[in-house]
Amino acid sequence: MVKLNVASTELDEAASVRVRHVTKRFDSPDGGITPGALALDDVSLSVGAGELVSIVGPSGCGKSTLLRMIAGLHGPTTGEVSVGAEPITEPSAERGLVFQDPNLFPWLTVRRNIEAGLVARGVLREKRAEVDEFMRLVGLEAFANSFPHHLSGGMAQRISLARALINHPKVLLLDEPLGALDAFTRMRMQDEVLRLWRAHGTTMLFVTHDIDEAIYMSDRIVIMTQRPGKIEQIIPVQLERPRDRSSEDFLHLRGEILETLHFAGQPMAGNKS
Ligand SMILES: Nc1ncnc2c1ncn2[C@@H]1O[C@H](COP(=O)(O)OP(=O)(O)O)[C@@H](O)[C@H]1O
Ligand SMILES: [Mg+2]
């Protein structure tokens, strides 16, 4: 019993994300003669295992840069990014990334799109049974043999979620994943992401421009300043789930966040981006 607890603590630890005093300066176009632009300035953030944290901030403040760094696609200029006790040095299937554009292969069926990553990693044979399970999980089993151009935007984004989740990532990084969807599909997909989050206990970092979406979904909301991105404030959302978008508490929090953004000189969309 004790051993089991230790094991589960270790497991938890392994799915936590730590960003410590991270600065990111991109190379200048003149090949380093002048210093490049500072994208992130001393960002520190800890995300607990199984936590869902949203990141909001104006365009160009470094949200995607931060997510790509956690994905291992580029390193920080100074500071440290780690998952559990491990510093991040390269991409890993344990850290999935979902973009606004589902980036599906148009010439492959839904099933083959979900399988593509498994093929690339050479694990399709042992994972084949899970493909059906994940198509069911996102409600697309009837479309297994359809091609992407037959699907709506919401359906395409479900495939991209299934494709990321089939790797059983410890951490899922979502970069404005619902930004291209119409308002109704977007709300349905918010519930879908929450359902997957609950079912898998995946640690999630969710970039959004939509404050309502951030309040509806997250345990905490990280508000970033304009470029170079710093963390302006981290707001815990203690409302009970499922959350009621029209409740007094929800609207009160929304007002507070809008005020914070206003005082930080960042007027943003309160409802849709
Ligand atoms: N590969 C890159 N090379 C040079 N500059 C970049 C690169 N990627 C992003 N930037 C710059 O870093 C800043 C932050 O970009 P990004 O992380 O995409 O912002 P956000 O996702 O918040 O809109 C922007 O000014 C952008 O132009
Ligand atoms: Mg971005």
Side-chain angles (χ1 to χ4, degrees):
M1 188 66 188
V2 172
K3 202 164 175 230
L4 208 115
N5 282 340
V6 170
S8 81
T9 311
E10 277 168 8
L11 199 78
D12 278 352
E13 169 68 22
S16 63
V17 175
R18 285 189 76 178
V19 176
R20 260 169 284 179
H21 299 297
V22 159
T23 302
K24 179 69 184 178
R25 189 182 289 280
F26 285 104
D27 289 340
S28 56
D30 59 17
I33 298 164
T34 53
L38 194 60
L40 290 171
D41 184 10
D42 196 18
V43 169
S44 293
L45 173 68
S46 288
V47 180
E51 206 182 359
L52 198 167
V53 171
S54 287
I55 302 174
V56 300
S59 280
C61 76
K63 303 178 295 293
S64 298
T65 301
L66 183 61
L67 249 55
R68 282 200 298 270
M69 230 180 285
I70 298 168
L73 294 173
H74 49 219
T77 306
T78 60
E80 208 177 87
V81 188
S82 51
V83 166
E86 298 288 316
I88 294 168
T89 54
E90 58 183 6
S92 154
E94 296 196 337
R95 279 169 273 121
L97 195 48
V98 174
F99 304 94
Q100 179 168 330
D101 177 352
N103 276 315
L104 303 177
F105 298 116
W107 61 89
L108 296 180
T109 61
V110 165
R111 172 188 294 279
R112 295 264 181 256
N113 263 287
I114 294 177
E115 287 175 349
L118 304 177
V119 172
R121 287 168 52 225
V123 295
L124 179 61
R125 193 187 291 260
E126 60 259 44
K127 295 267 193 180
R128 201 186 292 273
E130 281 190 41
V131 176
D132 289 308
E133 187 188 322
F134 275 86
M135 278 192 304
R136 247 195 323 276
L137 193 74
V138 295
L140 283 174
E141 66 272 49
F143 296 88
N145 298 316
S146 304
F147 286 89
H149 66 271
H150 289 128
L151 307 177
S152 67
M155 288 158 88
Q157 204 48 294
R158 280 167 203 261
I159 301 176
S160 117
L161 282 167
R163 195 175 48 181
L165 287 168
I166 201 162
N167 292 318
H168 298 279
K170 291 189 175 122
V171 178
L172 191 60
L173 306 162
L174 302 124
D175 196 351
E176 303 192 41
L178 312 182
L181 305 177
D182 66 81
F184 291 111
T185 310
R186 185 170 190 151
M187 284 194 272
R188 269 205 306 278
M189 287 298 289
Q190 289 168 0
D191 286 325
E192 186 77 20
V193 173
L194 285 173
R195 190 172 64 78
L196 296 169
W197 172 63
R198 265 195 300 271
H200 294 264
T202 316
T203 307
M204 290 192 181
L205 265 102
F206 189 101
V207 170
T208 177
H209 272 110
D210 185 332
I211 292 160
D212 285 16
E213 181 167 275
I215 301 173
Y216 186 70
M217 299 195 62
S218 10
D219 294 323
R220 286 188 297 153
I221 302 174
V222 174
I223 298 179
M224 291 181 66
T225 64
Q226 297 195 28
R227 182 185 153 175
K230 293 196 222 4
I231 292 180
E232 165 83 27
Q233 204 177 341
I234 300 182
I235 299 173
V237 186
Q238 276 147 352
L239 309 176
E240 254 176 58
R241 298 173 195 273
R243 292 177 179 160
D244 174 358
R245 296 170 215 264
S246 55
S247 75
E248 214 171 293
D249 290 342
F250 194 107
L251 295 173
H252 180 76
L253 186 56
R254 183 175 189 261
E256 269 182 17
I257 294 174
L258 283 170
E259 201 165 328
T260 305
L261 290 166
H262 177 72
F263 280 121
Q266 309 169 359
M268 283 179 60
N271 203 346
K272 263 163 259 35
S273 55

